[in-house]
Amino acid sequence: MTPATTRSDRGHRTATAAVRRLVRVTGVVQGVGFRPFVYGLAAGLSLTGSVLNDAAGVLADVQGAPTDVEEFCRRVRTDAPALSAVDAVTWEAADPLARNGFTIESSAAGPGRTLVPADVATCDDCLRELTDPADRRYRHPFVTCTACGPRFTIVTGLPYDRPSTTMAGFALCDRCAAEYADPADRRFHAQPVACHDCGPTLDLVEAAPDRADPPLLSTGETALARARTLLAEGRVVAVKGLGGYHLACDATSPAAVQRLRARKQRGDKPFAVLVRDVAAARAICHVDDAEAALLVAPRRPVVLLRRRADVAAGGAPGSTAAVAEAVAPGNPDLGVMLPPTALHHLLLGLPGDAPGPQVLVLTSGNLSSEPIVTDDAAALTRLAGIADAWLRHDRPVHVPCDDSVSRVVDGEELPLRRSRGYAPLPVALPVEVGPTLAVGGDLKNTFCVAEGGLAWLSAHIGDMDDLATQQAFEAAVEHLGALTGVTPRALAADRHPAYRSTRWAERTARSRALPLTHVQHHHAHVAAVMAEHGLAADARVVGVAFDGTGYGDDGTVWGGEVLVGGYLAYERVAHLSTVPLPGGDSAVHRPYRMALAHLHAADVPWEAGLPCVDACPDDERAVLAHQVRTGLACVPTSSAGRLFDAVASLAGLCHVVTFEAQAAMALEAAAVRALAADASPDPVAYPLPLVPGPDGGAAHVLDCGALVRAVAADVRAGVPADVVALRFHRGLAAGVVTAAGAACATAGLGTVALSGGVFCNATLLSFVTAGFASTGLTVLRHRRVPPNDGGLALGQVVVAGLRRATPGSTTMLSTTTNEE
């Protein structure tokens, strides 16, 4: 045995036998400075041995006095680096060896699973170096350390070491190599470490004035300065970021914003903006403490903030107070992001730089509906009609990753898009599942792989109606499977027979001979919020799933559902009353069609003077009347999203949409204006009574007809559209509370779960939550995955996993099964 020492209570050291342990640490423990942390911890406790990364996580071989080894095993969890997430610490005894010192060993391949960290925004230490003229990394666009920088988007394989990243081609200079090898340095084993001498470099490709001429090229500081000049001149610059290209322009220039909007074919969909810091965000928006904390969080999402009315339309050109209205037309909210990388800090300028825009539009580098561009050559062609110049670098982006989007509702984060900074961090499951791939839906697609007690959601993929997006989906499935070590033995998909994601799953199931479970859309929504809150396998809730579209068990279009059940089974106990969906997608794109359908269902005549009637051309209105009267090309729908569309048009707020949920956003914006206009806002709520279902059906109905008649009466009476919008939100919220409360009473349950894209509406979500406050019921709402279809795959994977583990189960309390 090797002699060692241990501390006595008096601080003296007495000889004792050394012990040796092989300590396994699993979780998010690679790419977060964990091995340097272990090195420092071991050295401080006078332990000998080594630490390495392998496919299962981190393995530490420690030897020393028993109390010191025990202390190491405790502190390796409690004192772990801030960016890590330790799932488990286990150890086994081993025979002591004769050795000195503690080393970091080369990574080892092999079986197992580790968790790749997400990309992390530039830390304060690196930001100080970036802005310090005396520092050798002054103005280095790629400054990083163990606490920040790219992770997920540069990983090509495991274990997470420089050779398994897109930094593999950048050999460390002597000074960076010394930092990398120095246990006392914060860049000790920081894989993306680099400097001006050995790291990636910038260049700017600028379209010549005559586009037939060769492009102009500049590099380094010249490229950066020229890009800032172009932005100040109102030009559009494509900027290569962490997960792909952004398109940037001066957010204070109406002409520049409108130019980008037209080129990108963006319609009226809001843009996000980039500002320097929280103070700059507060110059254009209201920012409370929770929102400020989210803005500066390492994951650095776009945060939806309420615009300041006092600066919405004014301010000196070039100031933070003069954001062009065209950035987010008619929207009371503005998506705001702080710089995620050093390059973005430099774009806004450092002290001594030439003046430039202090608020930049920063939007995904793509045409609307296409996936984000990551490849430099592809950027030159795919963005040729949009960008005037391309600010690039030579570090490849291996994994496309769009910006994440969140908002704060009642002091809590509500994720709207979970991508950069969040993916691929896993969600802990409350149940064990076999290796499964759930493909999600067709809008806002994310997929999910899961095994055991963990589920990994992909970054945001997008809408699956584009071939390039479908190809990006397939590539992302392969990459995430390789990173997580999950080889799917089963698939899960939506029940909609026309979903491209479902068709892909069906083809894959046939070609690989894998079982496929179809999960009803709204059941998956409810299961997702149950799973993220850790509800057990046998838990039962009342689930409220409100969204735009979901394939119902009866073949109609659902979307305003109250379900009772759990992961394995559910019953539809209530829903919004059905109306005809005339012409399918044409009704979605032209809300006045839904307004007319709702008026017809409510027995309200289509009289001139009602905005939706006036908005519909005469010949189209004649055809529409025939459709709703005969049912020709009309599928019944209970969609809450379509109800929002109808009321928005009926109130005269939106008749034709250019992007998803535009009418609903206009309606919420109007309600927000009404709330802000008066210290004592209008308390009226439109009626939405809960009545027995038609023909004695088991499901009750929230009678939209009563609500629509009240809206129409107010519109005819000249009630302002903003007040109509507020009364609608109050009425819908009260209807949700009534229906869910009645379901809880009947079923003897005490928990309500809210999900579906309609609950991205902060006003409605807040009203509903407040409505339940006096009922004694527990309300679950999303905090880790989006309520929209971006969270759908999490619910699918849990339902499918439990169904496969529970032979004979069904997903409805009736006789319908979803496994086909």
Side-chain angles (χ1 to χ4, degrees):
M1 304 290 268
T2 303
T5 58
T6 185
R7 295 178 182 82
S8 69
D9 289 342
R10 293 178 176 270
H12 300 296
R13 302 178 75 84
T14 57
T16 187
V19 297
R20 178 177 171 227
R21 289 182 182 178
L22 304 179
V23 183
R24 162 68 63 197
V25 188
T26 58
V28 181
V29 291
Q30 293 187 15
V32 292
F34 209 92
R35 286 178 299 169
F37 156 70
V38 167
Y39 181 99
L41 179 59
L45 292 170
S46 300
L47 303 179
T48 63
S50 62
V51 62
L52 57 80
N53 282 345
D54 62 15
V58 166
L59 180 64
D61 180 347
V62 296
Q63 179 174 306
T67 55
D68 291 335
V69 171
E70 189 67 34
E71 180 74 355
F72 174 91
C73 292
R74 182 186 69 82
R75 289 175 59 188
V76 77
R77 176 190 285 274
T78 61
D79 297 359
L83 296 180
S84 66
V86 175
D87 284 344
V89 176
T90 58
W91 59 269
E92 61 181 73
D95 292 334
L97 302 173
R99 59 187 179 185
N100 294 307
F102 196 91
T103 60
I104 293 181
E105 302 291 341
S106 299
S107 297
R113 173 179 296 127
T114 191
L115 306 182
V116 176
D119 299 313
V120 182
T122 308
C123 70
D124 289 343
D125 287 333
C126 285
L127 189 56
R128 278 190 288 271
E129 293 175 336
L130 179 74
T131 57
D132 181 2
D135 194 278
R136 75 184 189 91
R137 289 189 174 86
Y138 175 57
R139 301 184 68 87
H140 180 46
F142 309 99
V143 60
T144 183
C145 67
T146 56
C148 68
R151 299 293 193 271
F152 176 52
T153 52
I154 64 171
V155 171
T156 60
L158 293 175
Y160 175 75
D161 277 315
R162 197 178 182 96
S164 298
T165 73
T166 59
M167 288 297 293
F170 298 92
L172 293 170
C173 67
D174 289 344
R175 287 191 290 179
C176 285
E179 293 171 332
Y180 184 89
D182 181 2
D185 196 284
R186 79 174 202 281
R187 293 189 169 89
F188 185 42
H189 279 253
Q191 305 310 328
V193 64
C195 70
H196 291 289
D197 297 331
C198 64
T201 57
L202 288 177
D203 69 24
L204 182 77
V205 177
E206 185 178 348
D210 183 347
R211 297 230 171 198
D213 292 338
L216 309 175
L217 182 67
S218 54
T219 60
E221 279 288 345
T222 303
L224 179 64
R226 180 59 182 161
R228 296 189 70 246
T229 298
L230 291 172
L231 290 169
E233 292 174 351
R235 309 285 284 278
V236 176
V237 178
V239 181
K240 188 177 180 181
L242 284 172
Y245 277 83
H246 285 115
L247 292 165
C249 74
D250 181 0
T252 71
S253 167
V257 176
Q258 202 57 52
R259 185 178 303 118
L260 174 57
R261 185 171 292 284
R263 291 179 181 179
K264 190 174 160 66
Q265 300 172 23
R266 180 80 171 186
D268 292 326
K269 190 174 183 180
F271 286 129
V273 299
L274 175 77
V275 298
R276 185 183 309 280
D277 50 29
V278 172
R282 285 186 165 134
I284 54 176
C285 294
H286 298 283
V287 184
D288 65 21
D289 290 346
E291 291 164 336
L294 190 54
L295 281 169
V296 302
R299 51 193 181 274
R300 207 55 58 93
V302 174
V303 182
L304 293 191
L305 303 171
R306 188 60 38 84
R307 299 174 78 163
R308 286 179 51 185
D310 57 329
V311 297
S319 75
T320 56
V323 174
E325 173 61 23
V327 170
N331 200 311
D333 295 328
L334 192 62
V336 179
M337 177 172 61
L338 270 53
T341 72
L343 176 58
H344 293 93
H345 281 282
L346 292 170
L347 271 179
L348 292 171
L350 299 188
D353 285 350
Q358 295 303 294
V359 188
L360 293 175
V361 166
L362 208 63
T363 187
S364 300
N366 54 10
L367 278 171
S368 291
S369 83
E370 291 185 359
I372 189 171
V373 178
T374 59
D375 179 75
D376 296 335
L380 291 175
T381 57
R382 287 177 57 191
L383 303 180
I386 309 175
D388 298 303
W390 291 257
L391 184 62
R392 315 179 304 180
H393 56 77
D394 52 351
R395 183 185 69 207
V397 175
H398 189 68
V399 184
C401 201
D402 248 313
D403 296 322
S404 295
V405 182
S406 279
R407 73 190 313 169
V408 174
V409 180
D410 301 331
E412 297 179 349
E413 182 180 0
L414 177 69
L416 305 179
R417 183 165 76 192
R418 186 183 186 272
S419 199
R420 179 186 51 76
Y422 296 76
L425 298 178
V427 175
L429 297 178
V431 298
E432 295 279 322
V433 300
T436 305
L437 166 64
V439 299
D442 267 19
L443 296 178
K444 299 180 176 64
N445 178 270
T446 63
F447 62 87
C448 177
V449 295
E451 185 173 7
L454 292 176
W456 292 264
L457 277 80
S458 72
H460 172 75
I461 303 296
D463 295 348
M464 296 285 283
D465 55 357
D466 182 87
L467 178 59
T469 306
Q470 295 168 38
Q471 293 169 340
F473 168 88
E474 293 186 356
V477 165
E478 293 300 318
H479 182 257
L480 190 58
L483 285 189
T484 60
V486 176
T487 301
R489 296 287 180 260
L491 301 173
D494 195 272
R495 291 192 67 192
H496 199 304
Y499 271 9
R500 292 167 178 84
S501 55
T502 298
R503 290 177 176 176
W504 183 91
E506 290 170 347
R507 291 194 303 271
T508 303
R510 287 193 296 268
S511 65
R512 301 183 187 179
L514 297 176
L516 169 62
T517 300
H518 293 84
V519 183
Q520 200 280 326
H521 191 88
H522 302 96
H523 183 206
H525 272 310
V526 174
V529 71
M530 290 174 64
E532 74 162 83
H533 282 272
L535 269 62
D538 60 350
R540 297 178 72 242
V541 302
V542 170
V544 180
F546 275 23
D547 62 3
T549 299
Y551 189 76
D553 293 318
D554 55 4
T556 66
V557 178
W558 288 8
E561 311 309 310
V562 181
L563 310 178
V564 168
Y567 298 115
L568 287 175
Y570 65 91
E571 180 182 5
R572 188 191 196 198
V573 298
H575 57 84
L576 295 178
S577 56
T578 59
V579 299
L581 183 67
D585 284 347
S586 63
V588 176
H589 298 307
R590 286 174 275 176
Y592 62 77
R593 295 175 68 93
M594 281 312 308
L596 294 176
H598 267 282
L599 288 174
H600 171 80
D603 294 324
V604 177
W606 295 356
E607 296 176 347
L610 289 175
C612 55
V613 176
D614 296 342
C616 185
D618 292 344
D619 55 348
E620 183 180 354
R621 191 162 64 247
V623 173
L624 197 60
H626 178 70
Q627 283 186 275
V628 297
R629 186 173 61 251
T630 64
L632 178 66
C634 290
V635 177
T637 183
S638 58
S639 167
R642 302 292 75 81
L643 178 61
F644 269 85
D645 291 350
V647 174
S649 179
L650 183 51
L653 292 166
C654 182
H655 301 302
V656 178
V657 302
T658 59
F659 63 92
E660 186 203 5
Q662 181 177 358
M665 290 170 63
L667 198 61
E668 182 186 9
V672 168
R673 290 193 297 268
L675 282 168
D678 195 332
S680 302
D682 181 81
V684 175
Y686 289 133
L688 187 60
L690 183 67
V691 300
D695 304 321
H700 280 65
V701 169
L702 284 165
D703 181 14
C704 297
L707 183 147
V708 169
R709 287 189 290 272
V711 172
D714 270 1
V715 171
R716 287 197 190 97
V719 174
D722 290 0
V723 175
V724 170
L726 178 58
R727 292 176 176 181
F728 167 75
H729 278 78
R730 292 195 190 281
L732 184 58
V736 168
V737 173
T738 297
C744 282
T746 300
L749 299 174
T751 300
V752 177
L754 307 177
S755 190
V758 166
F759 287 112
C760 292
N761 181 318
T763 303
L764 179 68
L765 180 59
S766 187
F767 281 174
V768 170
T769 305
F772 281 114
S774 62
T775 65
L777 299 173
T778 298
V779 178
L780 306 180
R781 53 194 222 187
H782 286 277
R783 297 177 185 172
R784 300 196 61 191
V785 302
N788 56 41
D789 285 5
L792 198 67
L794 179 63
Q796 290 175 349
V797 85
V798 178
V799 170
L802 280 177
R803 277 181 50 76
R804 296 202 58 76
T806 313
S809 65
T810 64
T811 56
M812 287 190 67
L813 294 181
S814 64
T815 58
T816 301
T817 67
N818 288 345
E819 187 165 25
E820 301 168 357

